[in-house]
C-alpha cells in the first residue's frame, strides 16, 4: 500500500484540560473572580492545545466543536434556539449568563448571573440525565409544539476557523438533529419532539452551508440513537433529514457517526442514507463488523471504531490489525478510516501524568493521549504492514500477556466465596409489610420523616485539610480531630433544625466510590485521571484490575462516633455494588456481573458489621443502577437480573428491624420499576424536583408498596427554593403516593453545594414537612 498511514480519526477529546483548567476557570467565573474574557481565553487555549496534541500524535481527522463550557447537548439546544420562554431570551445573541442559567438555574426570571447562593424566585435549570449508558450527564432540551428554531450562534464555524488559523484542518462535530429531538422533552407533553424535525432541518442546512463556505470538507454528525431500538417512523426521520442535507449542502461530506452499540436492525436504513461516510462502534459491538462491511456501499468511507473510548485498558493492537486488514484490503485505503469507537471524553487525558501507579498496572493502561498513539499505530500498520509498526505492536502484546498471567489479578479466596453464594443470601427474612411494622416500632419516626441523602458540603477547609494530610503536612491525629469537629458540628446543626434522621456528613470521604475502593482489594487509584461528569463536576473513577474483597471494616468507626453524639438515628452510608461497578473503569477480562457479585459480597460484610455496631438505618446508594442498562431492550433482563441480585446480596444479611435505604438519581424509572421493586429496599430516595414529581408516576402506576423519598429540591442548582415550592411539590407527591410512604429529602447528596445554600434550603425543607403534617391531620 502506497500511503504512509491510513486515515485515523478522533471523534472528540476531553475538554477539561490536563490540569482541570476548565473547571477552575468556570468556577472562578461563576464566583465572580474571573471575567468572561478570562474564561474565553482559557477555553481558546485549551482548544488549541487539544488540536495540536492530536495533530502531533498522528491523527489525520481532528475534531472541532467538541469543546463545550458545560455540555454539548445544551450547546446544541442553544445553537438552534431551543430556549424555553422562562429564561427570558429576546431572540438575539445568547449571553453566557443565559446559557449557564439553563445549566445551573438563575436567581431571577430571565438571564442572570449565576454562581452565588440566592433565595426566592428564579428559574430552575433544565432537567439533567445520563448520556445513554455512560456516567456523563447532559441537560435535557425542552421544546414546545409551536417551537421556532433559528441559528443563534455559529460556534461550529467559529471553532473550525479558529483551528484553521492555527494551520490545523479539522472535521467539525455536531449532534445530529434526529438524536437531538429524540433526547428532547416536549413541554407540554402532548406531542412528540420528533414531529418538529421539518422545522429544525433548515437550521442545520444553513449551518452546513456556512461550514462549507468556511472551508470544511467533512462534518461529523453524531447520531448515537441509531444504537437504540427505533420505530419505522424514527428510521424514516433519518431519511428525511439526510436526503435534505444532501440537497442543501451537496459539496459537504457527512460522516454519520454511531456509537455505544450495534446498528443491528437499523443497519439497512442507515446504509441507504446519502452520506459520504459511516462510523460504527466495534469496541462495544465487535460482532457487527461483517454485517456492516457487507451492507455499506462501496462509495462510502467506512470508519472503524476499534479503540475503546470508554475504558482505559491497552488495546490488543496486533489482534485489531489482523481483523481490520482484510476490510482495508477489500475496500481500499481510500474507503476506510481507523477511529476511536466514540469520543474520548469518557476517559482521562494522559497516563504520563500518573507517577504513583503500580508499574505493572501502568503498562496495561491507555488514556486518551495514549489511545491517539494506538490509533496512529494501527493506521501505519494497516497502510504499510505489520513490520512498519512491529515494536509498538509487540510492546502491546507483551503487556496484555503479562496482565493475563499476573497474580495481582486473581484471588482464590474470592473465587471460593462467589462459588458459595446461595439463594438464601439474596432474600430478606420477611416481606416488606412485616419489616415495616417492626421497623416502625423500633425507630419511631413521625409522618413524613425528613432526612438528607448523605453528604454535606465539602468546604475549602475540608479539602485543604484532606490535601494537607495526604501531603504529610497534617498529622493523622490532627486530621482526625478536624474531621470529628466537622462531623459534630453537622450533627448538632441537624438536631437544631429538626431533621428526623441524621447523617454524619461524609467529611472523611473524597468520593462516594473512591472512598470505598481505596479500602477494597482489586482497586487502583490515580492522581490526575479526571473525567467530566457534568459541567465543572469531574470524577476520578477507580480502576478495578483484580478480584475484589474487603480486608477490614470501612465505615463502622465513623458511624459509631456520629451516633454517639446524638439520640436521633444516624444512617449508615454505603455505596452499592452496581454503582461502584458502573462508576469505575472495570476490568474487561471477566464478565461485569462477576465483578459486581464480588463487590456485593464486600459491601454485605460492611452492612452486617454496621448492624452489629447498632445501626438501625443503612443506606446503600445505587445511583447508577439504571445507567448500566443496555441500550437494546432484548439485553435488559439479563443485566437487571444480576444487578438486582447484587443489591439483594449486599442488603439481605440483616434482621427485619434494620431499615435498608437506597438512593437513585437522574433516571427514568418507568421502564425498570419492576426491577426497583425487586430490589426490596425498605426506603428509596429519588430525584423528582426537576421533573415536577412526574417520575413518581411510575411508582403510582406500579403500586409500589415500599417507602419513597421524592427529592423536593434540586441540589445541582445554587438556588434556594422557598417553602411553598417544596410544599407544592409534596402535594403532587401526595397525589401519587400514600402519606405513610413519603419521606422528605433533597434530590441528591449536598457535597458539591455551599453551606450558605444548604442551610436555608434544609430549614425550608423541614418547614415544608411540618406544613405537610399539619395538612394531614
Amino acid at each position: 500500500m502506497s500511503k504512509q498511514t491510513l486515515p485515523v480519526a478522533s471523534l472528540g477529546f476531553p475538554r477539561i484540560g490536563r490540569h482541570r483548567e476548565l473547571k477552575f476557570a468556570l468556577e472562578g467565573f461563576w464566583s465572580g473572580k474571573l471575567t468572561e474574557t478570562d474564561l474565553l481565553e482559557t477555553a481558546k487555549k485549551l482548544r488549541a492545545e487539544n488540536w495540536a496534541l492530536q495533530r502531533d500524535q498522528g491523527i489525520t481527522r481532528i475534531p472541532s466543536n467538541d469543546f463545550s463550557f458545560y455540555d454539548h447537548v445544551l450547546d446544541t439546544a442553544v445553537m438552534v434556539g431551543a430556549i424555553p420562554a422562562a429564561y427570558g431570551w429576546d431572540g438575539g445573541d445568547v449571553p453566557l449568563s443565559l446559557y449557564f442559567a439553563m445549566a445551573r438555574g438563575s436567581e431571577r426570571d430571565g438571564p442572570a448571573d449565576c454562581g452565588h447562593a440566592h433565595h426566592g424566585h428564579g428559574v430552575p435549570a433544565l432537567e439533567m440525565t445520563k448520556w445513554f449508558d455512560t456516567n456523563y450527564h447532559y441537560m435535557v432540551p425542552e421544546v414546545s409544539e409551536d417551537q421556532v428554531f433559528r441559528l443563534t450562534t455559529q460556534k461550529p464555524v467559529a471553532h473550525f476557523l479558529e483551528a484553521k488559523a492555527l494551520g490545523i484542518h479539522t472535521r467539525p462535530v455536531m449532534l445530529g438533529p434526529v438524536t437531538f429531538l429524540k433526547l428532547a422533552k416536549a413541554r407540554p407533553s402532548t406531542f412528540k419532539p420528533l414531529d418538529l424535525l421539518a422545522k429544525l432541518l433548515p437550521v442545520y442546512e444553513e449551518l452546513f452551508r456556512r461550514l462549507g463556505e468556511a472551508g470544511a470538507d467533512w462534518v461529523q454528525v453524531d447520531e448515537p440513537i441509531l444504537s437504540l431500538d427505533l420505530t419505522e417512523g424514527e428510521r424514516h426521520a433519518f431519511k428525511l433529514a439526510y436526503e435534505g442535507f444532501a440537497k442543501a449542502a451537496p459539496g459537504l461530506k457527512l460522516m454519520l457517526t454511531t456509537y455505544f452499540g450495534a446498528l443491528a436492525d437499523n443497519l439497512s436504513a442507515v446504509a441507504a442514507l446519502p452520506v459520504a461516510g459511516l462510523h460504527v462502534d466495534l469496541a462495544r459491538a465487535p460482532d457487527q463488523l461483517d454485517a456492516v462491511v457487507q451492507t455499506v456501499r462501496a462509495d462510502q468511507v467506512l470508519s472503524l471504531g476499534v479503540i475503546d473510548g470508554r475504558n482505559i485498558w491497552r488495546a490488543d493492537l496486533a489482534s485489531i490489525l489482523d481483523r481490520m486488514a482484510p476490510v482495508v484490503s477489500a475496500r481500499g485505503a481510500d474507503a476506510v478510516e481507523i477511529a476511536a469507537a466514540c469520543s474520548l471524553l469518557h476517559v482521562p487525558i494522559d497516563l504520563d501524568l500518573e507517577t504513583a501507579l503500580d508499574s505493572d498496572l501502568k503498562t496495561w493502561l491507555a488514556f486518551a493521549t495514549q489511545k491517539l498513539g494506538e490509533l496512529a499505530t494501527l493506521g501505519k500498520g494497516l497502510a504499510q504492514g505489520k513490520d512498519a509498526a512491529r515494536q509498538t505492536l509487540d510492546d502491546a502484546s507483551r503487556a496484555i500477556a503479562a496482565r493475563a498471567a499476573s497474580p495481582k489479578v486473581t484471588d482464590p479466596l474470592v473465587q471460593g466465596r462467589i462459588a458459595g453464594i446461595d439463594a438464601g443470601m439474596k432474600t430478606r427474612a420477611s416481606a416488606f409489610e412485616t419489616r415495616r411494622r417492626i421497623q416502625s416500632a423500633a425507630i419511631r419516626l413521625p409522618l413524613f420523616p425528613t432526612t438528607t441523602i448523605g453528604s454535606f458540603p465539602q468546604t475549602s477547609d475540608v479539602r485543604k485539610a484532606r490535601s494537607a494530610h495526604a501531603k504529610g503536612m497534617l498529622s493523622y491525629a490532627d486530621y482526625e480531630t478536624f474531621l470529628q469537629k466537622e462531623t459534630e458540628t453537622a450533627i448538632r446543626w441537624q438536631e437544631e433544625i429538626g431533621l428526623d434522621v441524621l447523617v454524619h456528613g461524609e467529611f472523611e470521604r473524597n468520593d462516594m466510590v473512591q472512598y470505598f475502593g481505596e479500602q477494597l482489594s482489586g482497586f487502583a487509584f490515580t492522581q490526575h485521571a479526571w473525567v467530566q461528569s457534568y459541567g465543572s463536576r469531574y470524577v476520578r473513577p477507580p480502576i478495578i484490575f483484580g478480584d475484589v474483597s474487603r480486608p477490614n471494616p470501612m465505615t463502622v468507626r465513623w458511624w459509631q462516633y456520629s451516633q454517639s453524639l446524638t439520640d436521633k438515628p444516624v444512617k449508615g452510608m454505603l455505596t452499592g455494588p452496581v454503582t461502584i461497578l458502573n462508576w469505575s473503569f472495570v476490568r474487561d477480562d471477566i464478565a461485569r456481573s462477576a465483578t459486581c457479585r464480588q463487590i456485593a459480597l464486600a459491601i454485605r460484610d460492611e452492612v452486617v458489621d454496621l448492624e452489629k455496631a447498632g445501626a438501625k438505618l443503612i443506606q446503600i446508594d445505587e445511583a447508577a443502577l439504571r445507567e448500566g442498562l443496555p441500550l437494546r431492550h432484548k439485553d435488559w433482563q439479563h443485566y437487571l437480573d444480576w444487578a438486582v441480585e447484587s443489591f439483594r446480596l449486599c442488603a439481605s444479611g440483616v434482621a427485619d428491624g434494620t431499615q435498608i435505604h437506597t438512593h437513585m438519581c437522574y433516571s427514568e424509572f418507568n421502564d425498570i420499576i419492576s426491577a426497583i421493586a425487586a430490589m426490596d429496599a425498605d426506603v428509596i430516595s429519588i430525584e423528582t424536583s426537576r421533573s415536577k414529581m412526574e417520575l413518581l408516576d411510575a411508582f403510582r402506576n406500579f403500586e409500589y408498596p415500599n417507602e419513597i423519598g421524592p427529592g423536593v429540591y434540586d441540589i445541582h442548582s445554587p438556588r434556594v427554593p422557598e417553602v411553598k415550592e417544596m410544599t407544592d411539590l409534596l402535594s403532587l407527591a401526595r397525589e401519587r403516593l400514600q402519606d405513610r410512604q413519603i419521606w422528605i429529602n433533597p434530590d441528591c447528596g449536598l457535597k458539591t453545594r455551599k453551606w450558605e445554600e444548604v442551610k436555608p434550603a434544609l430549614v425550608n425543607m423541614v418547614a415544608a414537612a411540618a406544613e405537610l403534617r399539619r395538612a394531614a391531620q
Side-chain angles (χ1 to χ4, degrees):
M1 194 174 296
S2 60
K3 288 191 176 184
Q4 287 190 329
T5 182
L6 207 67
V8 288
S10 165
L11 305 191
F13 199 76
R15 317 152 174 158
I16 64 180
R18 285 168 59 86
H19 302 289
R20 295 182 289 163
E21 291 92 338
L22 183 59
K23 173 186 177 68
F24 300 124
L26 282 170
E27 293 175 354
F29 173 68
W30 293 334
S31 67
K33 295 177 182 177
L34 295 180
T35 67
E36 183 171 321
T37 299
D38 295 330
L39 178 62
L40 294 174
E41 283 299 316
T42 297
K44 186 175 182 179
K45 181 180 178 184
L46 289 174
R47 290 193 293 270
E49 290 175 353
N50 284 351
W51 291 325
L53 171 65
Q54 291 172 92
R55 177 199 60 196
D56 295 346
Q57 287 286 327
I59 302 302
T60 59
R61 302 288 186 267
I62 298 171
S64 59
N65 195 46
D66 55 334
F67 178 87
S68 174
F69 278 122
Y70 206 91
D71 159 47
H72 65 285
V73 183
L74 176 62
D75 288 1
T76 305
V78 169
M79 181 183 73
V80 302
I83 301 172
Y87 295 97
W89 180 47
D90 61 8
D93 293 338
V94 181
L96 271 179
S97 58
L98 190 153
Y99 174 88
F100 287 129
M102 294 174 70
R104 307 176 70 239
S106 169
E107 70 177 300
R108 62 179 192 267
D109 297 340
D113 293 334
C114 42
H116 304 283
H118 40 255
H119 304 256
H121 296 289
V123 183
L126 293 174
E127 281 188 52
M128 182 165 63
T129 194
K130 298 294 175 69
W131 175 246
F132 294 83
D133 57 350
T134 75
N135 189 34
Y136 177 80
H137 300 66
Y138 72 93
M139 310 308 298
V140 181
E142 290 185 9
V143 292
S144 59
E145 199 161 8
D146 60 353
Q147 183 73 49
V148 175
F149 295 109
R150 68 189 71 172
L151 188 62
T152 70
T153 172
Q154 294 191 50
K155 173 175 170 275
V157 179
H159 286 191
F160 173 81
L161 292 173
E162 193 177 300
K164 187 177 180 180
L166 297 171
I168 300 174
H169 185 79
T170 60
R171 185 168 70 183
V173 179
M174 294 175 56
L175 181 63
V178 185
T179 293
F180 173 76
L181 289 176
K182 178 74 172 173
L183 298 179
K185 191 162 192 171
R187 293 284 191 193
S189 56
T190 53
F191 70 101
K192 294 181 179 179
L194 204 52
D195 294 341
L196 302 173
L197 181 62
K199 291 184 175 182
L200 177 61
L201 293 181
V203 178
Y204 274 79
E205 291 168 359
E206 180 183 355
L207 186 59
F208 287 152
R209 284 192 293 269
R210 295 191 182 191
L211 282 167
E213 292 167 0
D217 49 357
W218 281 89
V219 174
Q220 174 185 319
V221 188
D222 289 358
E223 295 279 15
I225 68 160
L226 284 164
S227 293
L228 305 182
D229 298 305
L230 299 181
T231 65
E232 283 303 318
E234 289 165 340
R235 293 192 189 104
H236 180 73
F238 282 97
K239 185 174 186 293
L240 174 67
Y242 287 85
E243 286 182 353
F245 294 159
K247 294 175 182 176
L252 193 65
K253 298 177 182 178
L254 301 186
M255 174 61 71
L256 180 62
T257 312
T258 69
Y259 42 80
F260 299 158
L263 283 167
D265 54 348
N266 298 323
L267 175 58
S268 59
V270 169
L273 297 175
V275 292
L278 174 66
H279 171 85
V280 292
D281 185 337
L282 298 177
R284 294 294 293 271
D287 294 341
Q288 70 174 325
L289 177 62
D290 292 342
V292 168
V293 169
Q294 292 168 12
T295 307
V296 171
R297 300 192 312 272
D299 65 332
Q300 287 180 313
V301 173
L302 181 56
S303 174
L304 303 171
V306 293
I307 295 297
D308 192 348
R310 292 181 52 177
N311 213 334
I312 41 71
W313 300 106
R314 196 166 182 172
D316 187 344
L317 297 178
S319 176
I320 293 171
L321 194 148
D322 286 343
R323 190 165 186 219
M324 297 306 120
V327 180
V328 176
S329 178
R331 293 185 64 84
D334 292 332
V336 179
E337 68 181 35
I338 296 299
C342 62
S343 170
L344 298 175
L345 169 72
H346 307 286
V347 293
I349 291 178
D350 192 354
L351 183 63
D352 289 346
L353 294 173
E354 303 303 326
T355 57
L357 270 180
D358 175 89
S359 57
D360 290 335
L361 175 61
K362 192 170 181 179
T363 65
W364 305 343
L365 304 178
F367 292 176
T369 301
Q370 288 69 42
K371 289 177 185 292
L372 298 176
E374 290 181 327
L375 287 168
T377 295
L378 290 170
K380 183 177 181 180
L382 286 166
Q384 302 178 39
K386 274 189 174 182
D387 288 344
R390 175 62 61 188
Q391 181 174 342
T392 308
L393 294 174
D394 288 348
D395 287 347
S397 297
R398 281 192 292 269
I400 290 165
R403 177 188 169 200
S406 174
K408 297 175 181 179
V409 172
T410 305
D411 183 343
L413 294 178
V414 174
Q415 298 294 324
R417 284 197 75 187
I418 292 294
I421 295 173
D422 59 35
M425 296 174 66
K426 296 176 283 190
T427 307
R428 296 289 296 271
S430 302
F432 169 71
E433 276 303 318
T434 300
R435 302 199 307 266
R436 185 179 68 82
R437 289 193 296 271
I438 295 171
Q439 292 165 14
S440 179
I443 304 173
R444 296 190 176 279
L445 296 172
L447 190 64
F448 307 121
T450 56
T451 189
T452 62
I453 302 305
S455 59
F456 278 140
Q458 295 267 327
T459 63
S460 59
D461 287 344
V462 172
R463 293 193 299 271
K464 287 175 184 176
R466 182 182 298 126
S467 176
H469 175 58
K471 294 175 182 177
M473 299 166 58
L474 184 65
S475 71
Y476 175 82
D478 288 343
Y479 184 51
E480 286 283 293
T481 298
F482 170 82
L483 292 174
Q484 287 177 351
K485 288 180 179 177
E486 291 289 316
T487 302
E488 182 174 6
T489 299
I491 291 288
R492 297 286 175 245
W493 181 75
Q494 292 173 85
E495 289 180 319
E496 177 186 328
I497 68 168
L499 283 166
D500 300 306
V501 173
L502 313 188
V503 297
H504 76 290
E506 304 180 12
F507 302 107
E508 80 285 5
R509 304 185 188 184
N510 43 22
D511 176 85
M512 66 181 290
V513 172
Q514 182 176 346
Y515 177 77
F516 291 96
E518 285 176 341
Q519 301 180 77
L520 297 171
S521 64
F523 282 74
F525 295 87
T526 61
Q527 296 171 303
H528 305 286
W530 297 99
V531 178
Q532 186 179 26
S533 179
Y534 64 88
S536 66
R537 170 68 170 156
Y538 307 155
V539 294
R540 283 181 300 166
I543 299 168
I544 305 177
F545 67 87
D547 287 343
V548 177
S549 62
R550 186 202 71 151
N552 298 293
M554 301 179 288
T555 67
V556 174
R557 181 171 63 89
W558 279 108
W559 178 84
Q560 287 175 315
Y561 172 72
S562 306
Q563 188 63 78
S564 73
L565 300 172
T566 181
D567 293 329
K568 288 193 170 185
V570 178
K571 284 190 289 189
M573 300 300 304
L574 305 173
T575 303
V578 183
T579 296
I580 291 176
L581 181 89
N582 284 334
W583 288 359
S584 299
F585 291 121
V586 182
R587 57 190 292 193
D588 59 356
D589 56 336
I590 63 173
R592 291 173 67 88
S593 57
T595 298
C596 198
R597 290 186 185 97
Q598 293 178 4
I599 302 170
L601 286 176
I603 300 300
R604 179 187 179 93
D605 293 343
E606 189 71 12
V607 171
V608 170
D609 281 350
L610 279 168
E611 183 186 54
K612 288 178 181 176
K616 292 296 183 184
L617 302 93
I618 302 172
Q619 182 170 310
I620 308 169
D621 287 344
E622 284 294 18
L625 182 95
R626 196 196 185 286
E627 77 182 44
L629 198 66
L631 299 182
R632 294 284 185 159
H633 285 80
K634 66 180 179 61
D635 302 320
W636 282 14
Q637 198 57 53
H638 174 68
Y639 165 77
L640 290 171
D641 285 347
W642 63 255
V644 169
E645 175 194 297
S646 295
F647 180 84
R648 293 179 67 125
L649 181 60
C650 75
S652 297
V654 294
D656 289 342
T658 299
Q659 190 174 76
I660 297 293
H661 290 232
T662 192
H663 171 68
M664 296 181 187
C665 53
Y666 301 97
S667 297
E668 296 290 342
F669 297 110
N670 290 285
D671 41 16
I672 62 165
I673 188 65
S674 60
I676 293 173
M679 291 169 68
D680 198 26
D682 297 303
V683 183
I684 178 173
S685 55
I686 59 174
E687 178 276 324
T688 51
S689 69
R690 288 194 184 192
S691 71
K692 307 297 188 291
M693 297 289 168
E694 289 176 4
L695 291 178
L696 287 180
D697 289 340
F699 294 86
R700 174 180 61 183
N701 297 337
F702 185 78
E703 297 183 354
Y704 184 79
N706 299 21
E707 297 177 14
I708 307 176
V712 296
Y713 83 91
D714 174 23
I715 67 88
H716 291 88
S717 171
R719 61 185 298 272
V720 176
E722 294 181 328
V723 174
K724 186 178 185 304
E725 185 175 328
M726 296 188 195
T727 55
D728 287 347
L729 286 173
L730 288 165
S731 295
L732 294 173
R734 293 182 72 192
E735 294 174 3
R736 294 164 165 85
L737 303 171
Q738 298 178 41
D739 284 355
R740 69 159 185 82
Q741 289 182 279
I742 298 175
W743 284 63
I744 299 178
N745 46 256
D747 274 349
C748 201
L750 299 163
K751 173 183 176 180
T752 60
R753 298 267 55 91
K754 300 175 181 177
W755 276 114
E756 55 263 36
E757 301 158 359
V758 166
K759 287 186 174 182
L762 290 184
V763 167
N764 287 353
M765 189 185 82
V766 172
E771 286 197 17
L772 212 64
R773 288 167 192 155
R774 287 193 292 270
Q777 289 177 351

